[in-house]
Amino acid sequence: MQYNVAQLIKEGIGASRHYDIVGDLYDIDENNPGPVHIEGEVRLLRTIEGILAVGSAQMTLAFECRRCLEVASAEMAYEFEEEYVPSIDVETGVKLPIGEDYGPEVVIDEHHILDLTEVLRQYAVTATADLNLCRPGCKGLCPECGVNRNIETCTCDLSRVDPRFAALAKLLDHDADGN
Ligand SMILES: [Zn+2]
Ligand SMILES: [Zn+2]
């Protein structure tokens, strides 16, 4: 997921390249220490400041189901767009100042290598926030005995409302009347 962009930078504004993305990501989160295989495509476009990387990628991510807490996995796809800037002038070899808006993950190194890895990892971290349930309509854990209700059936009576919630419900009711 590293691309030598020396030639592309020399070609000037508007020049572009298209590449396949194939690689592995690491340290996305505790459920995805890696390697997580990733595939996609990217278009590298020469801009005034540097190179705009626009693309899409997909991978399978593991996550903890928010209802039953079992680890499940799902295919995730995302699109990304990030501008990279050179750290060195490709013609003269002179070091270039990096603008404040650019983090270390979008700096093209002194060998003119543009590395997508960290940007793709950060997008993957964000993508994990969209992972919720292990299956549609996951039944979750029984609040009384804790069994996974997708796997086991328990005999707990869940019609009984927690007294703390009952008190809260009464307060809310009262509020509604007041308005
Ligand atoms: Zn679940
Ligand atoms: Zn139960």
Side-chain angles (χ1 to χ4, degrees):
M1 297 186 284
Q2 297 182 327
Y3 310 92
N4 188 316
V5 293
Q7 195 54 41
L8 181 56
I9 288 175
K10 283 183 195 165
E11 284 173 24
I13 296 162
S16 74
R17 293 281 191 287
H18 188 270
Y19 294 106
D20 287 333
I21 296 171
V22 182
D24 293 313
L25 295 179
Y26 292 86
D27 298 323
I28 297 167
D29 64 10
E30 66 270 24
N31 294 312
N32 297 284
V36 172
H37 185 68
I38 179 170
E39 287 186 22
E41 53 183 350
V42 62
R43 185 170 196 82
L44 302 180
L45 181 75
R46 176 72 160 105
T47 59
I48 296 171
E49 297 285 341
I51 288 181
L52 185 67
V54 185
S56 59
Q58 61 271 336
M59 74 220 73
T60 301
L61 292 171
F63 66 102
E64 196 174 78
C65 172
R66 293 195 186 165
R67 279 193 200 150
C68 72
L69 311 181
E70 293 288 322
V71 174
S73 65
E75 179 89 0
M76 287 299 288
Y78 58 70
E79 293 181 350
F80 62 92
E81 181 172 329
E82 215 65 51
E83 189 174 37
Y84 284 71
V85 283
S87 57
I88 206 162
D89 187 301
V90 71
E91 304 285 358
T92 63
V94 172
K95 237 178 154 232
L96 296 171
I98 308 290
E100 277 179 18
D101 296 342
Y102 300 96
E105 72 280 8
V106 295
V107 173
I108 300 163
D109 77 7
E110 68 273 24
H111 306 294
H112 315 294
I113 301 295
L114 182 156
D115 189 347
L116 284 180
T117 311
E118 178 57 16
V119 164
L120 293 174
R121 191 193 71 82
Q122 289 180 7
Y123 273 81
V125 170
T126 306
T128 61
D130 294 332
L131 297 166
N132 287 309
L133 302 182
C134 62
R135 68 198 83 193
C138 166
K139 294 183 185 134
L141 302 176
C142 170
E144 286 287 322
C145 71
V147 302
N148 182 337
R149 292 190 292 178
N150 298 306
I151 301 165
E152 284 181 60
T153 309
C154 63
T155 54
C156 300
D157 177 10
L158 299 178
S159 60
R160 194 166 56 81
V161 179
D162 187 309
R164 285 168 300 173
F165 291 130
L168 185 68
K170 213 169 165 184
L171 275 172
L172 291 172
D173 243 20
H174 184 73
D175 245 25
D177 288 348
N179 295 328

